[in-house]
Amino acid sequence: DAPDWYARIHATRDLEQRRAAIAAAARAEALLAEEAAFRARVRAPADADVSQRRAVTAAASAAGALRRKGRDARALWAPELVKWAKADPRRARRLEADLSALADDARRSSLSLRPMRRADRKKAHAVCEAWGFGTRSYDRSPQRHVRVLKLPGAEPPRRP
């Protein structure tokens, strides 16, 4: 009975992997089709004047830069952090601003973030780690907060 159980587990995993591969291929095809449709939409007519061509080129360049920025963010950050930043952009921007100020100030060695929920603290720890800071959580709920530390002897924190 045990070998049947293992066989079913492997068969289920194989099926899930095939489904994931099919879904990834479909997403890739959809992205290619979307990009081709975008390029077709933004092409300037041959008889357009120079200012119209520049406007179309600038729009295409801005859209491409936005896509590249999204791709870079997905490559650098974990998917749950990207999802969190999209869901709560104000908190993500505030955290980035606080970390930037701490990185730029040579006299400061630490920073206490505002008290936050457990899930948000977990994300704050991950973002601080990407910046090269050390972190610790202090106090008890509801006042539990993250303390961001410049590590002694470590290289200066970097902006990801």
Side-chain angles (χ1 to χ4, degrees), residues 59-143:
S61 176
L66 188 60
R67 276 197 298 274
R68 277 192 304 277
K69 186 177 178 182
R71 259 195 314 264
D72 292 345
R74 285 189 296 277
L76 179 65
W77 301 104
E80 64 269 5
L81 290 177
V82 173
K83 186 177 176 182
W84 169 71
K86 284 181 179 178
D88 196 355
R90 192 178 82 202
R91 186 178 298 243
R93 273 192 236 110
R94 186 176 358 156
L95 178 59
E96 293 268 328
D98 289 345
L99 294 177
S100 179
L102 180 61
D104 292 340
D105 191 350
R107 293 175 293 158
R108 291 177 64 189
S109 63
S110 65
L111 164 75
S112 287
L113 301 177
R114 296 177 182 181
M116 54 184 85
R117 296 176 306 204
R118 181 180 188 184
D120 292 334
R121 282 195 312 272
K122 182 178 177 183
K123 290 169 180 76
H125 284 291
V127 171
C128 291
E129 181 181 322
W131 274 70
F133 289 113
T135 57
R136 291 288 307 241
S137 288
Y138 290 100
D139 290 333
R140 293 198 178 277
S141 290
Q143 295 302 316

Side-chain angles (χ1 to χ4, degrees), residues 35-49:
E35 191 167 327
F38 175 77
R39 285 188 179 146
R41 271 196 323 264
V42 299
R43 276 198 193 113
D47 60 343
D49 67 349

Side-chain angles (χ1 to χ4, degrees), residues 46-62:
D47 60 343
D49 67 349
V50 175
S51 64
Q52 285 176 326
R53 286 187 189 156
R54 284 186 185 147
V56 169
T57 304
S61 176

